[in-house]
Amino acid sequence: FAKAHIWDEVLFRRMSRAARMTEPGLLDMGAVAAIVGGFAKAQLREGATIRDGALFRRMSLVALAAPPSAFRPRTIANIASAFARAAIWDRRLFNRMSQLACTTSSPPLSDFSNQELASISWAVAKAGFEAERNAQGPRGTETATLARSFFGTLEAELRSRRRLDSFKPQELANVLWAFASSGWEAPWLFAAAFHELQHRDLAALNPQDVANTAWAFAVAKQPSSPLLLNLLAQHCLEPVPPAPPLRSPLSSGGGGGPGGGE
């Protein structure tokens, strides 16, 4: 229903009750990821009235009780991303997801796709930011510390085993945003990203990708930041080519309409 953009809130509330009443042992982590992902979309749409913190709390408890072997890179990334998109800042859940991300693969993070890396890095950065903003005592500090540790691991993975030209525009923008938001300094990454973006067709970047990339470079304050921002500014100021003239469906002839298309 969420993928089809059919927002039947009565149905979503009923599914929430069913999911919360299901025995934890009957829910694998793929199901948990699908449930929280669907409800995150339902809550974020324009005009939504559904807010289901009880469902997210229940799914968090299920995920926290599951053994590490129950998780795959995709489920870790999707669960963390769904909680972040829904602005459910469950400290224990984010701590567990960031730890699992760094321990389920050998070398760490090597089994994550580029999209999964972008999703988990964005979610961990958001959780770390919220933890630091609302830190009261050692618990908030723990989440922020784990977030920084995650970005150290991610930097090692990107530097040794990934090519930036293999990242799609949104994936690269999200990774850059996450590094800048986390405060983890990676000068080589921004230098490499600037070099990569110089050779890309910037028309492939949508407005959100442009905004996230510009923000990341501005916050990172790297030597390449002014050059990148100038490059993006020039792209934004380029004239938009005129749209082709609209043709009436009756102008093609051939008797497609009344009077033979006249």
Side-chain angles (χ1 to χ4, degrees):
F1 272 74
K3 286 185 177 179
H5 300 281
I6 298 175
W7 307 118
D8 185 334
E9 291 199 350
V10 174
L11 179 137
F12 273 89
R13 289 189 172 92
R14 188 164 185 178
M15 292 300 100
S16 172
R17 288 194 296 271
R20 286 183 279 119
M21 293 173 63
T22 301
E23 288 294 326
L26 299 178
L27 290 171
D28 63 33
M29 291 305 101
V32 171
I35 290 168
V36 294
F39 273 84
K41 286 184 179 180
Q43 294 184 183
L44 286 171
R45 81 187 196 285
E46 185 177 355
T49 63
I50 188 170
R51 295 290 183 273
D52 204 333
L55 173 81
F56 281 90
R57 287 192 295 273
R58 179 63 172 172
M59 294 301 102
S60 174
L61 291 174
V62 174
L64 290 170
S69 60
F71 292 87
R72 298 291 181 268
R74 184 176 181 179
T75 55
I76 295 169
N78 288 352
I79 290 171
S81 176
F83 272 75
R85 285 185 286 118
I88 306 292
W89 307 116
D90 185 320
R91 175 186 56 82
R92 294 176 62 206
L93 186 282
F94 281 104
N95 289 356
R96 180 112 201 268
M97 293 302 107
S98 62
Q99 289 174 326
L100 284 170
C102 296
T103 57
T104 55
S105 310
S106 183
L109 297 175
S110 59
D111 289 343
F112 282 69
S113 69
N114 288 348
Q115 181 181 6
E116 291 159 357
L117 282 182
S119 293
I120 187 70
S121 63
W122 177 84
V124 171
K126 290 280 286 183
F129 173 79
E130 290 296 325
E132 288 191 337
R133 188 176 70 168
N134 302 310
Q136 293 181 354
R139 291 182 175 179
T141 303
E142 179 189 10
T143 300
T145 300
L146 284 170
R148 287 191 290 271
S149 176
F150 169 85
F151 279 95
T153 304
L154 177 58
E155 180 184 8
E157 168 64 18
L158 291 173
R159 194 161 195 167
S160 60
R161 282 176 290 276
R162 305 281 171 148
R163 291 173 55 92
L164 293 189
D165 60 6
S166 69
F167 282 77
K168 295 178 181 178
Q170 184 180 23
E171 295 166 352
L172 182 57
N174 284 353
V175 168
L176 292 171
W177 183 95
F179 268 91
S181 183
S182 72
W184 185 271
E185 295 187 4
W188 71 271
L189 174 62
F190 285 88
F194 172 64
H195 181 268
E196 171 63 24
L197 289 167
Q198 279 185 303
H199 296 87
R200 283 199 181 189
D201 178 9
L202 296 183
L205 277 68
N206 65 34
Q208 188 63 60
D209 298 336
V210 172
N212 285 349
T213 302
W215 184 91
F217 272 84
V219 171
K221 297 180 180 179
Q222 297 298 318
S224 58
S225 293
L227 299 174
L228 188 282
L229 292 172
N230 184 58
L231 182 68
L232 291 178
Q234 292 178 1
H235 164 67
C236 292
L237 292 173
E238 288 179 357
V240 178
L246 294 176
R247 296 181 60 190
S248 166
L250 299 180
S251 65
S252 56
E262 294 297 320

